[in-house]
C-alpha cells in the first residue's frame, strides 16, 4: 500500500532504507520519548527494519521531493487497541523535520485510510508523561483524551512510566473532517474579503465551541 499526502509518500520500509533510518533513529531525542532505544549502527537499523518495521500497516514517511524516508508511522494492536476494529497509531519523525506539521499531515491520511478503507471504528493514540509534542499532535488531530495510566513497563528501556491515552472514533473523525471543511470555507471568505477579520474570529470561535474542536487544526 502506498499513501500520498500533499508533501509526503507513505510506503513500506525496505532493507535499502537502513542508512537513512540510522541517520534519524540514532538521535537520542527520537526513540526514548516513544519507548525504544536509539539505533546503534546501520546494521542495528537493518535488523529493526527486518523485525519491527516490516509489520503490517507500518510505513516509512518519505518526502515527496526526493522519496527518502525521514520518519515512520503505523498502526498496531496492543493493550489500548485489542478489538478487531481498533488500532493504535504510532509515529516519529527526524528531528530536523519537527515543527512542520508533517506527522499531523501523515496521520490525517492514515485516519482516513483506517476508517474508510480498513473498516476500523476506533483509533487509539498514546504518549508518555511529558511528551508535549506528541500530546499536541493528538490534540491538533482531534483525538479525545481518555485517561492516565501509571506504572507502565517500558521493557526496551527498563523504565516504569506514566502514560496518557486518547481516542478517535469514526464518528468523531467524521465531525473533525466536517469542522476542517467549514474552517476552510471561512478561510476562503476571509481571503475574498467577504467577511472581516472580526467576523472571522467570531465565527471561528463559535464553530470551535459548537463542534467541540478547541485546539484542533
Ligand atoms: C511528536 C512528533 C512526532 C511530532 O511531529 P511533528 O511533525 O514535528 O509535529 P508538529 O509539526 O505538529 O509539531 C507538534 C508540536 O511539537 C512542538 N515542536 C515543534 N517543533 C519543535 C522543536 N523543534 N522543538 C521542540 N518542540 C517542537 C510544538 O509544540 C508543536 O505544536 P504546535 O504545532 O502547536 O506548535 C515529533 O516531535 C517526534 O518524532 N518526536 C519524537 C518521537 C515521539 O515522541 N513520537 C511519539 C511517541 S508517542
Amino acid at each position: 500500500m502506498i499513501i500520498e499526502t500533499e508533501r509526503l509518500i507513505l510506503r513500506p520500509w525496505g532493507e535499502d532504507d537502513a542508512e537513512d533510518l540510522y541517520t534519524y533513529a540514532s538521535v537520542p531525542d527520537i526513540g526514548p520519548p516513544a519507548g525504544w532505544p536509539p539505533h546503534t549502527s546501520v546494521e542495528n537499523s537493518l535488523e529493526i527494519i527486518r523485525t519491527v518495521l516490516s509489520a503490517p500497516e507500518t510505513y516509512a514517511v518519505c518526502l515527496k521531493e526526493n522519496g527518502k524516508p525521514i520518519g515512520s508511522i503505523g498502526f498496531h494492536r496492543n493493550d489500548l487497541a485489542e478489538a478487531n476494529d481498533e488500532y493504535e497509531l504510532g509515529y516519529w519523525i527526524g528531528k530536523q523535520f519537527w515543527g512542520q506539521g508533517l506527522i499531523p499531515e501523515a496521520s490525517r491520511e492514515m485516519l482516513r485510510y483506517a476508517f474508510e478503507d480498513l473498516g476500523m471504528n476506533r483509533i487509539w493514540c498514546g504518549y508518555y508523561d511529558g511528551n508535549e509534542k506528541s500530546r499536541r499532535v493528538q490534540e491538533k488531530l482531534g483525538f479525545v483524551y481518555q485517561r492516565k495510566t501509571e506504572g507502565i513497563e517500558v521493557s526496551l528501556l527498563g523504565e516504569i512510566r506514566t502514560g496518557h491515552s486518547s481516542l478517535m472514533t469514526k464518528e468523531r473523525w467524521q465531525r473533525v473532517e466536517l469542522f476542517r471543511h467549514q474552517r476552510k470555507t471561512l478561510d476562503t471568505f476571509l481571503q475574498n474579503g467577504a467577511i472581516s477579520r472580526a467576523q472571522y474570529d467570531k465565527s471561528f470561535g463559535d464553530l470551535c465551541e459548537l463542534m467541540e474542536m478547541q485546539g484542533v487544526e
Side-chain angles (χ1 to χ4, degrees):
M1 180 71 190
I2 293 178
I3 295 169
E4 195 177 330
T5 73
E6 194 189 331
R7 294 173 288 177
L8 302 166
I9 301 283
L10 315 179
R11 50 102 175 135
W13 285 93
E15 297 196 356
D16 290 351
D17 296 322
E19 276 191 28
D20 289 321
L21 176 59
Y22 177 67
T23 303
Y24 302 115
S26 55
V27 173
D29 291 326
I30 301 297
W36 44 270
H39 292 194
T40 52
S41 63
V42 175
E43 291 67 37
N44 179 218
S45 292
L46 179 60
E47 190 60 19
I48 300 289
I49 289 173
R50 288 180 176 151
T51 56
V52 180
L53 300 176
S54 56
E57 305 307 344
T58 302
Y59 299 91
V61 174
C62 304
L63 279 180
K64 229 181 212 180
E65 60 194 49
N66 59 16
K68 286 192 169 277
I70 56 168
S72 192
I73 192 162
F75 292 126
H76 55 278
R77 292 220 163 81
N78 64 7
D79 299 344
L80 287 179
E82 288 179 324
N84 285 340
D85 64 346
E86 299 183 3
Y87 266 136
E88 179 175 338
L89 175 70
Y91 45 67
W92 63 264
I93 192 164
K95 194 168 179 181
Q96 53 268 60
F97 299 97
W98 287 4
Q100 298 177 33
L102 289 169
I103 286 297
E105 179 175 321
S107 301
R108 281 184 200 107
E109 197 50 32
M110 288 292 281
L111 289 171
R112 189 208 60 70
Y113 171 58
F115 292 125
E116 289 191 343
D117 300 344
L118 297 178
M120 295 296 124
N121 282 312
R122 285 146 78 91
I123 303 296
W124 294 87
C125 204
Y127 58 91
Y128 292 120
D129 219 20
N131 192 344
E132 270 303 298
K133 294 185 272 295
S134 189
R135 186 202 63 75
R136 179 68 184 123
V137 166
Q138 290 164 44
E139 179 179 62
K140 289 201 284 189
L141 290 170
F143 275 82
V144 178
Y145 185 80
Q146 301 294 304
R147 60 179 173 266
K148 173 178 167 177
T149 309
E150 285 174 358
I152 300 174
E153 208 175 309
V154 185
S155 54
L156 292 174
L157 296 173
E159 291 176 16
I160 302 292
R161 291 188 185 173
T162 297
H164 301 270
S165 55
S166 63
L167 178 66
M168 180 75 81
T169 59
K170 186 170 184 179
E171 194 246 338
R172 166 83 179 169
W173 171 74
Q174 284 164 337
R175 282 207 296 137
V176 169
E177 288 298 297
L178 181 63
F179 166 76
R180 297 184 74 233
H181 177 78
Q182 290 180 334
R183 193 196 55 208
K184 263 192 205 140
T185 306
L186 275 181
D187 289 347
T188 309
F189 285 167
L190 181 67
Q191 278 154 18
N192 294 345
I195 55 173
S196 68
R197 167 55 70 177
Q199 283 169 321
Y200 177 91
D201 290 345
K202 168 87 175 66
S203 304
F204 184 64
D206 289 348
L207 187 64
C208 290
E209 205 179 309
L210 193 71
M211 296 191 74
E212 294 171 15
M213 294 287 159
Q214 281 80 4
V216 177
E217 285 185 3

